Amino acid sequence: MRICKARRQRSFTIPNDHVEEILSRLPVKSLMRFKCVSKAWHTLISSHQFAKSHFQRASQNPNSMNVLVLTDNCVLSSGYGALFQSRAVHVQPVDVDFHDFPGWGEKCVETSLASCNGLVCIELYHEYKWTSQYLVWNPSTKSYKNIPSSTSTSYSVSCWVRRFGFGYDYSTDDYKILRPYHYYHIHTFQIEIFSLKTFTWRTIQVDEENNFIRSVPFTEKTIYCHGAIYWSAQRYRKPSIIYFDLADEIFHELPWPESVSYYFRDESSDTWDLGTFGEHLCLSVCTAESCSDICIQLWVMKESWTRLATIPYRGSCLRPVCVSKNGENFLLQETQVKGVGENSERNFKLTVFNLKKKAYRKTPYDRKTIIEATTYVESLYSLDCNDGLNQHFQEEGSKGHKGNQEVCPKGYGNNYCQGGC
C-alpha cells in the first residue's frame, strides 16, 4: 500500500514595507474601511507618517484631486480630471453635518474657503456682529474640528480684519490660520495666528517701520503655495503680490513679471488675480494697449515668472483654479457682480478654457449659484470632532488604538473584520 504524505500548507507573508507600498496607492474611502482588517492595519493607516506618504502619492495622481464647490443651498464635489474629459460629469453632493458649528447655513453670514494638503478651512463671517468663526475639515474622511474664537481681537468698526489665510508650516509640521487686521484709530497692524498643533491663538505685531504692509490694500482672496500665504494687492494703482512666510512669520513682496503690461478698468484690483496650477503659483492679469483689445495672460511661477498662455477676455479677470494633466485645459473662476454699492452681490461661475481649440466651455456647475470654490487632494489627515486633534499630529505605533477604536458595522469586532466592512 502506498502512503501519501499530506503536503503542509505554506503560509505566505507579505513584508510590511510592501503592504505599506500597496496601501498607499489606494483611495481614502477604501483605506478607511481597511482599518477594520486588523490592529496592525489600523495602526499603520492611522499613523502620521503613512498619511504623509499617502498624500505625496495622491498629489501626483489626477484621480485624487477634486473641486469643492459651495453653492447657495449645498456643497458639491467632483474629480477635476473629469471636468476636462467630458461635459457629462457626475457631481456629487457632499454630506456636511457641522452640528456644533453655529452660523453654518444662516443668512447674513459670509462663507469663505481656503484649502491646503487635503484640509479645508471654512470661515463664517457674520456681517452684523463683525465676528468670524472657523472650522477645519477633511472632506475625504469627514472629520472636522471647530476652532475656538480668538479673545485678543476687539471686534468693532474701528478694527478691520483682512481676509484670512490657511496653510502648512514645513518647519514645525503644523497647520496655521492667519488673520491680519489693524485698528483705524491707532494705525496698528497685527496678525493673529492659530496653530492646530498647540490649538491656541497668538498675536504678533508687524514692525511699525513696515509702512508698505500697512498701506497696501489686500484683496479678499488668499492663496496658499509652498509654505506661504499670498495676497494680490495694489499700491499707488500698481499691482503687487504680498506673501507671508509661515516659517519665519514675515511679510515679503514677490516681484511682478517684468514684461507684463496691465490694463486698469478702475481703481479696484479685479484686473488681476492669483491662483494655483498644480504646485505652482499662477497669476492671471488683464492686459491691453487700449480698452478695445483686452486679453488675459496666465503666468506661472517656477524658478521665475513664465508666461503660460494668452486667452480671450470675458468681462472680468478669471482666477486660475487648476490645470489638466496635459496642460491643454484650464479651470477658471469667473466673478459676476450684480447690483451696485452696498446692494451688490458677488457670485462666481466655473468655466473651462481649451488651449488647443482656443475656446471656453461650460461646466456642470454652470446653472448653480456658486458662492465659493476651492480644490483639495484626497488625504488621510484626520481631525477628530470630539477629542481634539487625532493621529494627524501624533504617532500611534506604540499606543495601539485604544480609546479610538472603530466598530465593524457587521459586528465582527475590532480585531478582525471578516469579509470587509
Side-chain angles (χ1 to χ4, degrees):
M1 184 172 65
R2 183 177 298 174
I3 299 176
C4 296
K5 294 183 178 180
R7 295 182 179 178
R8 293 183 178 179
Q9 292 184 352
R10 296 181 179 180
S11 61
F12 179 73
T13 303
I14 303 176
N16 291 336
D17 56 342
H18 290 182
V19 172
E20 183 173 350
E21 177 72 16
I22 294 170
L23 291 179
S24 67
R25 299 172 181 269
L26 299 180
V28 169
K29 186 176 181 179
S30 298
L31 291 171
M32 297 299 288
R33 295 174 57 206
F34 292 164
K35 282 185 176 184
C36 296
V37 171
S38 67
K39 287 184 177 181
W41 279 31
H42 187 286
T43 300
L44 171 64
I45 296 171
S46 300
S47 70
H48 178 39
Q49 187 57 43
F50 182 81
K52 293 181 73 173
S53 62
H54 178 271
F55 178 80
Q56 289 172 358
R57 189 180 297 277
S59 61
Q60 303 300 319
N61 180 8
N63 295 327
S64 299
M65 301 180 186
N66 301 273
V67 176
L68 188 73
V69 174
L70 175 66
T71 72
D72 55 347
N73 57 9
C74 65
V75 180
L76 302 172
S77 177
S78 67
Y80 83 61
L83 291 173
F84 300 127
Q85 295 172 5
S86 66
R87 297 187 183 184
V89 180
H90 180 58
V91 178
Q92 292 183 326
V94 179
D95 183 17
V96 179
D97 183 18
F98 303 140
H99 59 274
D100 55 352
F101 193 31
W104 176 257
E106 293 184 3
K107 295 182 179 180
C108 303
V109 173
E110 181 182 337
T111 306
S112 303
L113 305 176
S115 63
C116 172
N117 290 8
L119 299 180
V120 176
C121 185
I122 303 174
E123 180 192 54
L124 299 184
Y125 176 72
H126 200 292
E127 298 177 359
Y128 297 149
K129 296 180 181 178
W130 289 64
T131 58
S132 294
Q133 298 169 285
Y134 297 93
L135 178 143
V136 179
W137 173 45
N138 186 332
S140 303
T141 65
K142 312 303 181 187
S143 61
Y144 69 92
K145 187 62 186 177
N146 199 346
I147 305 302
S149 300
S150 169
T151 58
S152 60
T153 305
S154 175
Y155 294 99
S156 66
V157 293
S158 62
C159 173
W160 179 45
V161 181
R162 302 167 189 255
R163 183 54 62 93
F164 84 106
F166 177 64
Y168 177 67
D169 181 356
Y170 292 94
S171 65
T172 58
D173 191 22
D174 188 13
Y175 289 83
K176 296 179 178 179
I177 300 173
L178 179 71
R179 286 166 37 92
Y181 67 95
H182 73 262
Y183 293 96
Y184 290 122
H185 60 291
I186 57 176
H187 303 289
T188 299
F189 187 90
Q190 295 179 334
I191 302 170
E192 283 186 326
I193 299 176
F194 182 83
S195 164
L196 280 178
K197 206 168 191 177
T198 63
F199 216 66
T200 56
W201 287 95
R202 61 188 175 89
T203 302
I204 62 175
Q205 187 85 27
V206 176
D207 187 355
E208 293 184 0
E209 296 181 358
N210 196 338
N211 294 321
F212 174 76
I213 297 300
R214 292 193 293 171
S215 63
V216 174
F218 290 74
T219 58
E220 294 185 348
K221 187 68 179 177
T222 63
I223 296 295
Y224 168 80
C225 188
H226 293 302
I229 297 173
Y230 291 80
W231 288 264
S232 56
Q234 71 176 53
R235 191 186 189 200
Y236 305 124
R237 299 194 66 188
K238 291 186 178 181
S240 178
I241 300 173
I242 306 299
Y243 67 95
F244 183 82
D245 191 302
L246 292 172
D248 62 25
E249 297 186 344
I250 297 175
F251 277 102
H252 305 270
E253 183 180 10
L254 182 67
W256 189 263
E258 294 182 0
S259 60
V260 67
S261 59
Y262 50 91
Y263 167 76
F264 277 93
R265 186 175 54 204
D266 51 38
E267 294 185 357
S268 67
S269 58
D270 60 0
T271 50
W272 73 89
D273 208 343
L274 290 174
T276 54
F277 275 174
E279 59 181 7
H280 301 293
L281 186 69
C282 185
L283 170 67
S284 173
V285 57
C286 299
T287 66
E289 294 297 329
S290 65
C291 51
S292 61
D293 61 347
I294 306 174
C295 61
I296 299 176
Q297 291 184 357
L298 299 176
W299 295 73
V300 292
M301 169 57 74
K302 296 180 179 179
E303 294 182 357
S304 60
W305 285 113
T306 302
R307 189 166 70 177
L308 182 64
T310 300
I311 61 178
Y313 181 66
R314 284 171 61 92
S316 67
C317 191
L318 304 178
R319 182 170 69 87
V321 178
C322 58
V323 62
S324 63
K325 188 175 181 180
N326 61 11
E328 292 183 357
N329 294 282
F330 307 138
L331 182 64
L332 305 163
Q333 181 174 300
E334 179 180 357
T335 303
Q336 296 182 331
V337 180
K338 297 180 181 179
V340 180
E342 296 181 356
N343 297 323
S344 64
E345 294 183 1
R346 178 170 294 197
N347 294 317
F348 305 100
K349 278 194 173 183
L350 291 177
T351 184
V352 172
F353 181 79
N354 185 283
L355 191 60
K356 195 172 184 179
K357 297 180 180 179
K358 297 188 180 302
Y360 290 96
R361 68 171 176 83
K362 297 178 180 179
T363 69
Y365 301 108
D366 190 61
R367 295 182 180 180
K368 302 289 185 180
T369 301
I370 298 176
I371 299 173
E372 268 278 30
T374 190
T375 60
Y376 71 95
V377 180
E378 281 193 6
S379 80
L380 287 164
Y381 294 148
S382 182
L383 297 149
D384 190 286
C385 60
N386 296 318
D387 302 322
L389 293 177
N390 204 348
Q391 288 88 352
H392 173 48
F393 303 116
Q394 299 177 5
E395 289 294 341
E396 288 289 315
S398 61
K399 300 179 183 179
H401 57 289
K402 294 182 180 180
N404 192 30
Q405 295 179 335
E406 289 199 2
V407 178
C408 171
K410 293 189 176 182
Y412 293 111
N414 295 321
N415 294 341
Y416 248 102
C417 179
Q418 302 173 15
C421 303

